[in-house]
Amino acid sequence: MSGGKGALAIVLHAHLPYVRHPEYPDFLEEDWLYEAITETYLPLLEAFDRCVDDGVPFRITMTLAPPLVSMLRDELLMSRYAKRLDALCELCDKEVHRTRGDAHYGPLAWHYRDHHYHLRRLFHDRYKRDLVGAFKRLQDAGALEIITCGATHGFLPLMAHPEAVRAQIQVACNHYRMHFGRDPRGFWLPECGYAPGIDKFLAAENIRFFFVDSHALANAVPRPRRGVYAPVFTPSGVAAFARDPESSMQVWSAETGYPGDGAYREFYRDIGYDADYEYIRPYIQATGDRKNVGIKYHRITGKVPLSDKAIYDPKAAAAKADEHAADFLFNRTRQIEYLRTAFGSGGPPPIVVSPYDAELYGHWWFEGPIFIEKLIRKIAYDQDVLQLQSPVDYLAEYPEQQVAQPPMSSWGAGGYSAVWLDECNDWIYRYLHKATERMIDLARDYPDASGVERRALNQAARELLLAQSSDWAFIIKTGTMVDYAVRRTREHLLRFTRLYEQLKAHQLDEPWLTSVEASDNLFSEIDYRVYRPAAAS
Amino acid sequence: MPEKAPFPSVDDKKPAPAARPMPDAAQPPDGPAPASPPASNVFVAPGKQSTPRGDQHPAQPAHPGVPLSPPGIVPESDVRLHSPAAATPPAGRPRQDDLGDLPKGYGDGRLVAMVRDPATLFIYWDLSAQQVEQAFSDIGPSRAVLKLWNARHGAGELVREAEVQLETRGWYLRDLPVGSELRVELWAMGERGARLLRAARPLRLPPGLPSDQLEAFYVRLDLNQPLPRDGIAGKRALEYVGGPPMEWDRRLDSRHRSDSHPSSGSMPWSGTLPNRSGSAGSGEGQ
């Protein structure tokens, strides 16, 4: 360690399921992307760029999951996003007019107007509508370590075929190389879902590290001597870093986490629901149903009804984010000092790994990007106990680590598969397993296809990957947007099945294939032979 | 006093907490899984299903926000989450694929066991009518039985036997010995004999506890060198100065922490940074 007593690895996992519906002019679930761009990705990019511009040294690890990269580089979705941002700016103008003379809401309306106009300038002028390129520049500048993830965020421990695991990993790594111009060095296992043997497929792509939940290292064999505060090398040589429970809870906890502070912006009080219907009608769903539009005038306040929420004060909220960043850093420095003393000085210093879903910052916790930027600056200037590092930096500095085998585990509720394998969603696995078996069968039957057959085989691989997304089982389990998750699972499986049957019968419907390729258009570089039988590899 | 809202008529009924931590307790004993996909008619016709009146705040917003995990730990705002809402496509006809529906099964004689947690397996099967008929013929009054064998020491030790209803096509077996290596078999058991229908691949349940193997081996893997093709083996033990802190195992048990939602100040190193006004750093609403 070039300075300090330990390392802090902040890991932001940016992932959204692939949602793209060209068949509709407007589709509710596409809002996940648009809101995440406005509330998370643009603010985070700006925070990182501001630090780089100011010469503040930092290292953050960030997953950009392949479906998200694909969507952020999809011209249709970016065009739709640009229109959405235009509409939001227009609504902000109307709000400024509507609240003129109101001492409370008027200044807030101006605040939102300035904020969204600024984001629009960032999107078009600074980042040229290419956010992946903007993240890549931060990686090239040494500020970010961008890692990849399962191709479609499939939950790997429940895949019955090694070929399916290999495909999720290999397709993702190839996709990363295409967009970032180098090999990925780290891998975010979807849902931190690990099972012995998965590391072997990571090693085949020369991945050097991945993340597991705390209990995966606590229960590893042999018992890791430094618990979750040092990585272990799995039997393939890929390092597993574990989530630190405490720093996770400080941000994630439903009861004690920072995002629940009363000063922060209230997510659920949005003028999409509050405003007069005719007034807000042009900005809500095409069906006429209300939805969040992103202008929220109230703060969390406390455990009070939505109607009793107090008015939001951006300056007070920013001050609170600053205070929380200081508190977070204070606890990390104490933690690292304690661990350093406990470990002694004979070995590597401790590393505290703090992973979060990136969309927590900004989307759910509006002030999250401020927190991150303040934390980066405080770490750079206000202490000398810890250093921000990516796991790859730590491994470069300390290449000698303990060997251990973590058990099957995940970061979901209960720590294993219970979220993705439950009475409400277990029906999907018999179909996923059958489709995987059939895809392997196709790859065996067509060792070197060309022309329209190759297109059909590649599309079959895409449909299978899309059906495997862990988001569908997760959404079914959590009970939100269930119909959409069921629909997506079924549609991809059925499209796969049709392609399989047509390939088996040598009767391809090329016009239909073309239309499916246009809809489910991610992974242009895919090669269906990633599903070749493992024994033949 | 809260500020007066700039809009009239806000229905503030508290929505159902759909995203609360998943219940792990009170699991039923071994039992069947639904094991069937929902009916194909899952789409709600386009319309204003979530807004009874245009000027009224629906109690349960149709917009859930970006889905996040881990689901067991959610920010404060998230626990006041709304309930499910139908994903209603806007007006207009989508491309008609005429994809049909997923079959109920494939009848391919499959028996698959999957790990749900250290003590629970989910097992599903897919048998044709002919396979079932053949298995149960000539054995008299009979029943279908799942047998779990300890796979670590040969096939000698029967761990669990559970009668199942074949038509459910899936079953949860709970309270299994954590860390065990198991082989699952599906049998037709009759008064005049028994037949093995199918056997699943052996699998191993996670340990659920820290290992009692304490011997540590270390290897050096330089990043500028490719990983060894055949994996690594521990080369030598290194004795670092200093041992793990006291109560190490308990504090590393993240499940304990997640379930009990302790404050962030319970660690030996934890403290509270006083804020400018001298109150707790985590502020109000905590």
Side-chain angles (χ1 to χ4, degrees), chain B residues 4-56:
Chain B
K4 184 169 181 266
F7 304 106
S9 182
V10 174
D11 180 348
D12 60 30
K13 277 187 237 171
K14 194 167 265 188
R20 280 189 187 282
M22 306 304 165
D24 283 331
Q27 294 280 15
D30 295 351
S36 294
S40 59
N41 183 22
V42 296
F43 304 119
V44 178
K48 301 179 181 179
Q49 84 288 357
S50 66
T51 312
R53 270 181 36 209
D55 61 353
Q56 214 165 44

Side-chain angles (χ1 to χ4, degrees), chain A residues 246 268 307 343 357 431 479 490, chain B residues 12 69 81 84 101 103 241 269:
Chain A
E246 188 198 11
Y268 293 104
S307 58
F343 286 161
D357 276 342
Y431 298 106
R490 296 162 56 90
Chain B
D12 60 30
S69 54
L81 200 59
D101 205 352
V241 177
W269 53 76

Side-chain angles (χ1 to χ4, degrees), chain A residues 166-327:
Chain A
R166 182 183 62 196
Q168 281 279 341
I169 291 170
Q170 197 170 313
V171 170
C173 290
N174 288 337
H175 189 256
Y176 182 99
R177 291 180 189 107
M178 193 172 84
H179 288 275
F180 296 100
R182 58 164 241 202
D183 288 341
R185 300 192 289 189
F187 199 94
W188 179 273
L189 293 174
E191 322 292 3
C192 290
Y194 175 79
I198 286 174
D199 49 292
K200 181 179 69 174
F201 297 105
L202 297 175
E205 297 297 318
N206 205 30
I207 294 290
R208 305 310 290 255
F209 68 92
F210 64 96
F211 300 99
V212 290
D213 202 359
S214 319
H215 58 295
L217 283 205
N219 299 345
V221 179
R223 189 187 305 184
R225 301 192 66 180
R226 296 185 170 220
V228 300
Y229 302 110
V232 299
F233 284 131
T234 55
S236 64
V238 187
F241 287 78
R243 181 165 71 112
D244 167 47
E246 188 198 11
S247 56
S248 288
M249 293 296 285
Q250 280 190 292
V251 177
W252 274 115
S253 169
E255 303 197 358
T256 60
Y258 300 134
D261 191 280
Y264 291 140
R265 192 178 83 161
E266 170 59 57
F267 179 86
Y268 293 104
R269 188 79 189 271
D270 185 289
I271 68 164
Y273 291 95
D274 281 352
D276 174 78
Y277 184 73
E278 290 307 319
Y279 172 79
I280 204 69
R281 179 71 181 83
Y283 306 100
I284 55 176
Q285 295 185 62
T287 57
D289 293 312
R290 289 176 181 267
K291 67 172 185 179
N292 287 353
V293 295
I295 299 178
K296 305 167 198 286
Y297 288 132
H298 298 86
R299 61 187 179 93
I300 289 172
T301 311
K303 294 186 184 300
V304 298
L306 281 176
S307 58
D308 293 344
K309 299 288 181 182
I311 195 165
Y312 179 60
D313 179 349
K315 284 185 181 171
K320 185 60 72 176
D322 182 78
E323 190 180 305
H324 283 162
D327 184 73

Side-chain angles (χ1 to χ4, degrees), chain A residues 327-369:
Chain A
D327 184 73
F328 185 87
L329 178 57
F330 176 74
N331 277 281
R332 295 292 74 68
T333 54
R334 296 216 6 173
Q335 180 181 19
I336 282 173
E337 282 174 334
Y338 177 88
L339 292 168
R340 187 61 174 166
T341 303
F343 286 161
S345 57
I351 180 168
V352 173
V353 178
S354 305
Y356 309 99
D357 276 342
E359 294 77 18
L360 172 66
Y361 292 87
H363 177 66
W364 290 103
W365 180 15
F366 186 61
E367 299 78 7

Side-chain angles (χ1 to χ4, degrees), chain A residues 16 24 26 29 32 35 98 104-105 160 191 207-208 213-214 218-223 225-227 233-235 237 243 246 250 252-254 256 260-262 266 268-269 271 273-275 277 289-290 300 303 307-308 311 320 322-324 326-327 331 334-335 338 342-343 346-348 357 360 363-364 392 396 399-403 407 411 414 416-419 421-423 426-427 429-431 433-434 437 474 477-479 481 483-484 487 490 494-495 498 512 515 519, chain B residues 2-7 10 12 18 22 24 33-34 37-38 40 42-43 47-49 54-55 57-58 61-66 68-71 73-77 79-82 84 87 89-90 94-95 97-98 100-101 103-104 106 108 110 114-116 118 122 124-125 169 172 174 201 207-211 213 215-223 225 227 231-232 236 238-241 243 248-249 252 254-255 264 269-271 273 275-276 281-284 286:
Chain A
L16 291 175
Y24 298 108
D26 182 57
E29 285 77 7
W32 289 336
E35 290 176 6
R98 189 182 66 79
H104 298 295
Y105 293 97
E191 322 292 3
I207 294 290
R208 305 310 290 255
D213 202 359
S214 319
N219 299 345
V221 179
R223 189 187 305 184
R225 301 192 66 180
R226 296 185 170 220
F233 284 131
T234 55
R243 181 165 71 112
E246 188 198 11
Q250 280 190 292
W252 274 115
S253 169
T256 60
D261 191 280
E266 170 59 57
Y268 293 104
R269 188 79 189 271
I271 68 164
Y273 291 95
D274 281 352
Y277 184 73
D289 293 312
R290 289 176 181 267
I300 289 172
K303 294 186 184 300
S307 58
D308 293 344
I311 195 165
K320 185 60 72 176
D322 182 78
E323 190 180 305
H324 283 162
D327 184 73
N331 277 281
R334 296 216 6 173
Q335 180 181 19
Y338 177 88
F343 286 161
D357 276 342
L360 172 66
H363 177 66
W364 290 103
V392 74
E400 195 162 78
Q401 299 293 340
Q402 189 177 349
V403 181
W411 79 346
Y416 299 93
S417 302
V419 173
L421 180 61
D422 178 76
E423 281 86 345
D426 59 26
W427 60 270
Y429 294 100
R430 67 179 64 240
Y431 298 106
H433 293 166
K434 185 67 179 179
E437 190 178 280
F474 173 75
K477 171 70 177 172
T478 55
M481 314 298 264
D483 291 344
Y484 182 69
R487 167 189 170 169
R490 296 162 56 90
L494 288 166
R495 285 177 190 157
R498 175 173 285 191
W512 179 76
S515 72
S519 287
Chain B
E3 301 295 332
K4 184 169 181 266
F7 304 106
V10 174
D12 60 30
M22 306 304 165
D24 283 331
S40 59
V42 296
F43 304 119
K48 301 179 181 179
Q49 84 288 357
D55 61 353
H57 190 306
H63 190 85
V66 173
L68 287 189
S69 54
I73 311 171
V74 289
E76 167 70 14
S77 291
V79 298
R80 285 167 286 117
L81 200 59
H82 38 63
R95 180 185 66 240
D97 282 345
D98 296 326
D101 205 352
K104 187 179 179 194
Y106 300 96
D108 55 3
R110 183 185 305 262
M114 302 162 75
V115 176
R116 186 177 191 270
F122 172 64
Y124 76 82
W125 52 87
R169 306 192 308 145
Y172 287 90
R174 306 181 197 279
R201 283 186 209 155
L209 291 168
S211 170
Q213 292 185 38
E215 191 179 19
F217 293 95
Y218 291 78
V219 295
R220 180 186 179 94
L221 294 173
D222 290 306
L223 284 181
Q225 299 290 323
L227 290 167
I232 57 173
R236 62 191 173 93
L238 291 181
E239 290 302 325
Y240 287 125
V241 177
W248 185 248
D249 298 342
L252 293 181
S254 68
R255 292 305 106 198
S264 59
W269 53 76
S270 296
L273 181 67
N275 64 14
R276 294 179 189 88
S282 48
E284 63 180 290
Q286 300 297 302

Side-chain angles (χ1 to χ4, degrees), chain A residues 56 77 102 105 122 126 131-132 214 311 318 362 366-367 393 398 448 458 476 486 505 513 519:
Chain A
V56 182
L77 293 174
D102 186 311
Y105 293 97
L122 281 180
R126 176 154 191 172
L131 303 195
V132 176
S214 319
I311 195 165
F366 186 61
E367 299 78 7
D393 311 325
Y398 305 105
D448 192 20
N458 286 341
I476 293 169
V486 171
L513 170 62
S519 287

Side-chain angles (χ1 to χ4, degrees), chain B residues 25 39 43 50 83 85 89 104 107 109 180 182 185 196 229 254 280:
Chain B
F43 304 119
S50 66
S83 72
K104 187 179 179 194
S180 55
L182 299 168
E185 295 174 349
L196 174 65
R229 289 182 66 85
S254 68

